[in-house]
């Protein structure tokens, strides 16, 4: 008794947790925390400026602050081409002398340029910090470009026209690249060659020399600022600014979570009242955000557009498969917004980088369309291919719109997009079984796998109990249609029906559908024994299903499809037998002839139970007519309601009425009556009927 009470308390606690409003509020709070932590470091920026030449700096106690100081590369570049034109036009110098001049000139010119700029900084009225000036000088010297020796031998051969044409190309390239924030000049120098190849220069030597001169004219313009870093860490003003930004971020996160909450609340999804599914949704968001954050850590590797590698569609696919595809669309909007925040590396003045947001939304929506109603794991791989195509298309569109002509960036982006689709598909296939096992979720993919006739239990059912197998298939057709008519899980009903009577394989001959041309053994045994054999098939089925590690929902359908219904035939047989024998000392109890239950705890189990009873009853009719079918369905449903077998599931009366209509329509399609053709009139030896003969006379 104590054990039973303890089990009831445990079950009550579990059910209470699943429905608790307090738990639901806590889960939404966790979701807000995930959104906040994912975005926090991307919002906190400092408003401290160092004179007119200092850009807005990121406040992060773990990251040093860099300040901008632009060196006029165009003046340096113009001076180089002026010198080229001057020396090459001077006929007093021989080719060899010009070569030697260039070997010395480039190094001397660079040193002189750096020295002049440092002096200008030191004498500036802006009073730049001495340590900052020293850092600039050190970086300019350390990052000086090593002009290749072979280029010195090509420079003297340039004509004035070639120099002018090269000057225009070099100026355009250097001007565009120096607009970026450059800590490492070599990164920008690596982009020069492709930009030169895209220019109007056709001569190979001109291309090579423009590439080298442009590289030589690119300097770093973003330098570590020790004073600003120290000041930012201790600045009260900065702290106040951070508080305002944190408040703004909190408000934004609250809006996102409220938006998600309102959609779920106004939907008819189970997640609205099911904390288990809500917990799963939170886990999916956490996994997706972590995936984006891990990819974002690779930003220090200086790969352009690394964010396109992030498997943002992972969360959308999981939600579409495990929960609901409409909810997946809503979640995809949030994933896209946070992708544009997390991967906003280049533009610190704005919160969002629209490029990542657009690509993320495209691949998320594509993945949902691809996996919606997916029935095989190969569908997930196909979705990965579609994600790749969608990502590449959207990336190409963005590059064309922004008119970015750096081919290497485009190639990097497409490569990351190709890897994105593959990673997303692999991760979904790998993570899906975890969610199915941990949360007791049966995905459509898993259900379709279980419906394979080659499954050992279904093969056993077919070979040992063909009558039961046929009955199960019929129940599957009925229950799937009925479930879909009320928005329940039709696929779960179908697969559950396949396995609901698998326990009959233990004693197949004791069930009427398997008694082909054989006597009914129940005619010769005691009704108590018959009752025990019949009732045991539900328990035996659950044990077999658990032995094969079948999902809990399938086991529950097998256990609950009879509920606590009464075996009327054997009950009344036992009572009649008692009356005939006159043994009236111990009355036959109705409770002894009921299934042990439990009653159906969810819609799908209740539907399978109704369909099981209806199919068996209608099949017993020799030639079922429409009126008979309607009467039979109504009677069975009425009996179940009066017996309170549907009280513990969440079926409404309106849904039960819809199920009844669906059962009647499906049964009429299965047991339709053949058209009775009128008897043809007899003909004489000539093939003429009597009526025809009369008419001819």
């Amino acid at each position: 008794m104590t054990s039973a009470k303890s089990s009831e308390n445990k079950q009550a606690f579990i059910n209470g947790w699943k429905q608790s409003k307090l738990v639901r509020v806590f889960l939404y709070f966790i979701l807000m925390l995930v959104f906040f932590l994912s975005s926090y470091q991307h919002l906190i920026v400092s408003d401290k400026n160092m004179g007119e030449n200092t850009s807005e700096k990121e406040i992060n106690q773990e990251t040093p602050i860099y300040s901008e100081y632009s060196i006029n590369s165009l003046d340096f570049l113009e001076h180089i081409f002026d010198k080229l034109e001057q020396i090459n036009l001077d006929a007093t110098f021989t080719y060899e002398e010009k070569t030697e001049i260039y070997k010395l000139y480039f190094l001397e010119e660079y040193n002189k340029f750096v020295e002049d700029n440092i002096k200008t900084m030191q004498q500036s009225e802006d009073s730049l910090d001495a340590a900052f000036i020293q850092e600039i000088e050190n970086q300019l010297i350390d990052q000086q470009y090593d002009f290749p020796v072979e280029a010195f031998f090509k420079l003297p051969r340039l004509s004035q026209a070639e120099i002018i044409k090269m000057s225009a190309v070099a100026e355009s390239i250097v001007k565009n690249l120096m607009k970026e924030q450059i800590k490492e000049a070599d990164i920008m120098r690596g982009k020069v060659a492709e930009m030169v190849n895209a220019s109007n220069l056709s001569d190979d030597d001109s291309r090579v020399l423009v590439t080298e001169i442009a590289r030589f004219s690119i300097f770093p313009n973003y330098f570590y600022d020790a004073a600003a870093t120290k000041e930012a860490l201790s600045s009260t003003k900065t702290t106040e600014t951070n508080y305002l930004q944190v408040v703004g971020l909190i408000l934004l996160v609250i809006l996102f979570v409220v938006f998600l909450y309102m959609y779920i609340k106004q939907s008819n999804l189970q997640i609205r009242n099911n904390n288990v599914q809500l917990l799963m949704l939170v886990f999916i968001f956490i996994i997706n955000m972590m995936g984006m954050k891990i990819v974002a850590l690779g930003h220090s590797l200086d790969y352009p557009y690394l964010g396109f590698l992030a498997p943002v569609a992972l969360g959308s696919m999981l939600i579409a498969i495990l929960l609901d595809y409409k909810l997946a669309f809503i979640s995809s909007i949030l994933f896209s917004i946070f992708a544009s925040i997390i991967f906003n590396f280049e533009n610190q003045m704005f919160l969002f980088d629209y490029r990542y947001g657009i690509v993320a939304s495209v691949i998320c929506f594509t993945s949902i369309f691809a996996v919606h109603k997916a029935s095989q794991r190969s569908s997930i791989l196909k979705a990965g291919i579609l994600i790749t195509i969608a990502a590449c298309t959207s990336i190409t569109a963005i590059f064309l719109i922004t008119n970015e002509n750096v081919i290497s960036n485009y190639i990097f982006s497409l490569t990351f997009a190709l890897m994105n689709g593959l990673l997303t598909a692999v991760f979904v296939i790998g993570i899906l079984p975890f969610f199915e096992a941990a949360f007791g979720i049966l995905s459509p993919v898993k259900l379709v796998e279980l419906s394979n006739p080659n499954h050992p239990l279904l093969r056993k059912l077919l070979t040992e109990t063909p009558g039961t197998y046929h009955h199960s298939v019929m129940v599957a057709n009925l229950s799937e249609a009925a479930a879909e008519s009320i928005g329940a899980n039709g696929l779960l009903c179908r697969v559950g029906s396949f396995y609901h009577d698998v326990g009959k394989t233990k004693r197949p001959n004791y069930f009427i559908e398997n008694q082909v041309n054989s006597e009914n053994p129940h005619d010769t045994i005691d009704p108590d024994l018959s009752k025990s054999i019949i009732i045991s098939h539900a328990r035996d089925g659950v044990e077999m299903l658990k032995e094969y590690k079948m999902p809990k929902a399938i086991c529950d359908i097998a256990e609950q499809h009879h509920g606590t219904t009464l075996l009327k035939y054997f009950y009344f047989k036992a009572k009649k037998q008692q009356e005939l024998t006159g043994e009236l000392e111990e009355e036959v109890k109705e409770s002894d002839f009921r299934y042990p239950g439990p009653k159906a705890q969810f819609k799908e189990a209740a539907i399978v139970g109704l369909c099981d009873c209806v199919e068996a009853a209608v099949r017993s009719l020799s030639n079922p007519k429409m009126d008979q079918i309607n009467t039979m369905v109504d009677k069975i449903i009425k009996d179940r309601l009066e017996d309170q077998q549907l009280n513990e599931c969440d079926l409404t009366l309106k849904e039960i009425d819809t199920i009844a209509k669906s059962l009647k329509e499906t049964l009429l399609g299965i047991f339709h009556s053949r058209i009775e053709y009128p008897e043809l009139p007899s003909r004489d030896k000539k093939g003429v009927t009597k009526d025809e003969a009369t008419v001819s006379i």
Side-chain angles (χ1 to χ4, degrees):
M1 185 71 179
T2 305
S3 177
K5 187 174 181 180
S6 175
S7 178
E8 290 178 2
N9 292 337
K10 182 179 179 182
Q11 186 64 36
F13 173 77
I14 293 174
N15 292 335
W17 176 85
K18 291 179 180 178
Q19 307 295 329
S20 171
K21 292 184 179 180
L22 185 61
V23 171
R24 197 170 304 125
V25 171
F26 175 74
L27 291 175
Y28 280 114
F29 174 76
I30 294 295
L31 199 56
M32 281 195 291
L33 195 61
V34 171
F35 291 166
F36 179 81
L37 295 177
S38 299
S39 309
Y40 177 74
Q41 71 180 77
H42 299 275
L43 292 176
I44 309 305
V45 294
S46 172
D47 65 347
K48 294 291 183 181
N49 295 315
M50 288 194 64
E52 297 177 358
N53 298 321
T54 305
S55 65
E56 191 172 31
K57 299 170 287 297
E58 182 180 3
I59 298 299
N60 190 325
Q61 295 185 5
E62 298 178 356
T63 305
I65 292 179
Y66 284 77
S67 295
E68 185 178 1
Y69 188 90
S70 298
I71 296 175
N72 198 332
S73 299
L74 295 180
D75 285 349
F76 179 71
L77 183 65
E78 182 180 356
H79 194 68
I80 288 177
F81 277 103
D82 287 344
K83 195 68 174 180
L84 282 176
E85 189 174 356
Q86 177 187 345
I87 294 174
N88 282 13
L89 291 177
D90 193 337
T92 61
F93 293 115
T94 64
Y95 170 80
E96 289 76 13
E97 289 174 334
K98 291 177 181 179
T99 300
E100 293 301 321
I101 290 174
Y102 288 134
K103 287 180 180 179
L104 297 174
Y105 167 74
F106 278 86
L107 179 58
E108 292 175 353
E109 183 63 23
Y110 187 88
N111 292 335
K112 182 177 181 301
F113 184 77
V114 171
E115 183 180 347
D116 290 344
N117 272 277
I118 296 301
K119 286 182 179 179
T120 301
M121 287 183 231
Q122 292 171 342
Q123 297 170 3
S124 172
E125 295 180 357
D126 293 336
S127 301
L128 296 178
D129 182 74
F132 184 62
I133 295 174
Q134 185 62 50
E135 175 67 15
I136 294 175
E137 183 177 6
N138 293 341
Q139 290 299 319
L140 291 176
I141 294 173
D142 292 344
Q143 298 190 45
Q144 178 183 350
Y145 183 68
D146 190 9
F147 206 91
V149 176
E150 59 269 17
F152 297 136
F153 296 94
K154 297 179 181 180
L155 289 172
R157 296 193 177 97
L158 294 174
S159 66
Q160 183 179 12
E162 289 174 325
I163 292 173
I164 293 173
K165 193 173 183 179
M166 288 167 55
S167 175
V169 173
E171 180 180 349
S172 175
I173 293 172
V174 173
K175 183 178 181 181
N176 285 333
L177 293 180
M178 289 301 294
K179 291 178 181 178
E180 304 290 334
Q181 295 177 344
I182 304 173
K183 297 178 185 178
E184 299 292 336
D186 284 342
I187 296 174
M188 288 299 167
R189 289 166 182 162
K191 300 179 180 181
V192 172
E194 293 182 10
M195 297 178 73
V196 171
N197 291 335
S199 69
N200 59 358
L201 291 177
S202 57
D203 181 68
D204 289 340
D205 285 345
S206 295
R207 287 173 178 264
V208 170
L209 292 174
V210 164
T211 300
E212 300 303 334
I213 294 172
R215 288 172 174 172
F216 190 71
S217 305
I218 293 175
F219 314 107
N221 59 14
Y222 217 51
F223 306 94
Y224 170 66
D225 194 334
T229 301
K230 183 178 180 180
E231 181 181 3
L233 295 176
S234 60
S235 171
T236 304
K237 181 179 179 180
T238 299
T239 303
E240 292 173 353
T241 303
N242 288 347
Y243 287 151
L244 294 176
Q245 292 169 335
V246 169
V247 171
L249 176 57
I250 291 174
L251 291 175
L252 189 65
V253 165
I254 290 174
L255 286 175
F256 290 157
V257 174
V258 168
F259 170 67
L260 184 63
Y261 164 76
M262 292 303 297
Y263 173 79
I264 292 175
K265 182 181 179 181
Q266 295 179 16
S267 71
N268 59 353
L269 302 176
Q270 292 184 10
I271 192 175
R272 180 178 58 179
N273 300 311
N274 190 329
N275 291 337
V276 175
Q277 292 193 1
L278 183 58
L279 177 62
M280 181 168 60
L281 180 67
V282 172
F283 267 111
I284 292 174
F285 267 94
I286 291 174
I287 291 172
N288 217 42
M289 293 296 186
M290 285 179 60
M292 287 191 278
K293 294 293 289 184
I294 290 172
V295 173
L297 293 176
H299 176 62
S300 59
L301 300 176
D302 292 318
Y303 288 117
Y305 301 108
L306 183 65
F308 292 140
L309 177 63
V312 183
L314 168 65
S316 300
M317 292 176 70
L318 288 174
I319 294 172
I321 294 172
L322 297 171
L323 292 170
D324 178 71
Y325 79 98
K326 293 181 181 179
L327 179 60
F329 278 114
I330 301 300
S331 301
S332 295
I333 296 173
L334 297 179
F335 292 145
S336 302
I337 293 174
F338 284 103
S340 66
I341 296 174
I342 292 172
F343 299 116
N344 182 20
F345 302 121
E346 299 181 14
N347 194 342
Q348 297 297 330
M349 297 296 294
F350 297 98
L351 174 59
F352 308 100
D353 189 329
Y354 75 93
R355 295 171 297 183
Y356 296 103
I358 289 175
V359 174
S361 61
V362 168
I363 63 176
C364 286
F365 293 159
T366 301
S367 69
I368 296 170
F369 288 123
V371 300
H372 179 43
K373 294 186 178 179
S375 58
Q376 297 179 351
R377 297 197 187 272
S378 60
S379 302
I380 298 175
L381 292 176
K382 294 176 183 177
I385 296 173
L386 291 177
I387 288 173
T388 296
I389 296 173
C392 290
T393 304
S394 57
I395 288 170
T396 301
I398 290 173
F399 269 76
L400 292 175
I401 292 171
T402 57
N403 197 28
E404 184 170 347
N405 57 3
V406 183
I407 303 301
S408 62
N409 288 353
Y410 180 63
I411 293 174
F412 270 120
S413 299
L414 292 185
T415 302
F416 291 142
L418 290 170
M419 296 172 65
N420 186 320
L422 177 62
L423 287 174
T424 302
V426 170
F427 285 151
V428 170
I429 292 174
I431 295 175
L432 196 57
F434 162 77
F435 280 102
E436 291 174 343
F439 294 95
I441 296 293
L442 268 174
S443 68
V445 176
K446 181 67 174 178
L447 284 171
V448 170
E449 289 178 354
L450 293 175
S451 67
N452 190 334
N454 289 322
H455 189 282
L457 281 177
L458 293 184
R459 285 207 311 270
K460 182 179 179 68
L461 195 66
L462 175 60
T463 56
E464 298 180 12
T465 56
T468 300
Y469 180 83
H470 179 262
H471 161 71
S472 299
V473 172
M474 299 296 287
V475 173
N477 294 332
L478 290 171
S479 62
E480 183 177 32
E484 290 180 350
S485 69
I486 63 168
N489 192 335
L491 186 56
L492 173 59
C493 284
R494 167 170 284 276
V495 179
S497 298
F498 287 155
Y499 292 93
H500 80 289
D501 274 345
V502 72
K504 291 182 178 180
T505 57
K506 288 286 184 73
R507 303 172 189 85
N509 293 331
Y510 284 86
F511 298 91
I512 192 167
E513 66 266 23
N514 300 313
Q515 297 167 3
V516 181
N517 299 324
S518 62
E519 294 183 359
N520 188 342
H522 292 290
D523 293 340
T524 58
I525 64 175
D526 188 78
D528 281 335
L529 180 58
S530 296
K531 173 259 300 183
S532 299
I533 293 173
I534 298 298
I535 285 178
S536 65
H537 86 273
R539 182 183 66 252
D540 293 338
V542 173
E543 291 175 356
M544 294 174 67
L545 291 171
K546 289 182 178 179
E547 181 181 346
Y548 280 84
K549 301 187 185 319
M550 298 293 283
K552 184 177 183 300
I554 303 297
C555 296
D556 288 344
I557 288 176
E559 185 179 26
Q560 300 170 15
H561 74 280
H562 280 297
T564 59
T565 54
L566 176 67
L567 286 169
K568 293 182 180 180
Y569 176 82
F570 295 109
Y571 169 65
F572 289 115
K573 182 180 178 181
K575 289 192 69 173
K576 185 176 182 180
Q577 189 179 73
Q578 187 183 53
E579 291 174 1
L580 293 174
T581 59
E583 298 176 358
L584 302 176
E585 294 82 6
E586 186 176 350
E587 184 182 358
V588 177
K589 295 180 181 179
E590 182 180 300
S591 59
D592 292 338
F593 284 82
R594 285 187 176 272
Y595 282 91
K599 296 177 182 178
Q601 301 296 304
F602 54 102
K603 291 182 180 180
E604 288 76 11
I607 291 171
V608 172
L610 285 172
C611 294
D612 174 64
C613 186
V614 166
E615 196 281 333
V618 174
R619 182 164 37 85
S620 67
L621 300 175
S622 59
N623 187 20
K625 305 293 183 180
M626 183 183 297
D627 292 342
Q628 289 178 304
I629 290 175
N630 291 342
T631 302
M632 185 72 74
V633 171
D634 290 337
K635 181 178 184 303
I636 290 172
I637 292 178
K638 181 182 178 183
D639 288 345
R640 289 290 176 107
L641 287 171
E642 290 178 350
D643 200 22
Q644 300 182 356
Q645 295 299 316
L646 304 179
N647 285 12
E648 296 182 14
C649 67
D650 52 353
L651 280 175
T652 64
L653 291 175
K654 182 178 181 181
E655 288 174 333
I656 293 173
D657 184 57
T658 304
I659 290 170
K661 291 178 181 178
S662 173
L663 289 175
K664 293 172 185 177
E665 292 173 358
T666 308
L667 286 168
L668 286 173
I670 296 174
F671 299 100
H672 65 281
S673 300
R674 292 184 176 273
I675 298 174
E676 296 183 1
Y677 291 97
E679 183 179 353
L680 293 175
S682 60
R683 296 175 178 270
D684 60 15
K685 295 181 179 179
K686 295 181 180 180
V688 180
T689 66
K690 293 181 179 180
D691 291 340
E692 290 173 344
T694 304
V695 171
S696 63
I697 293 174

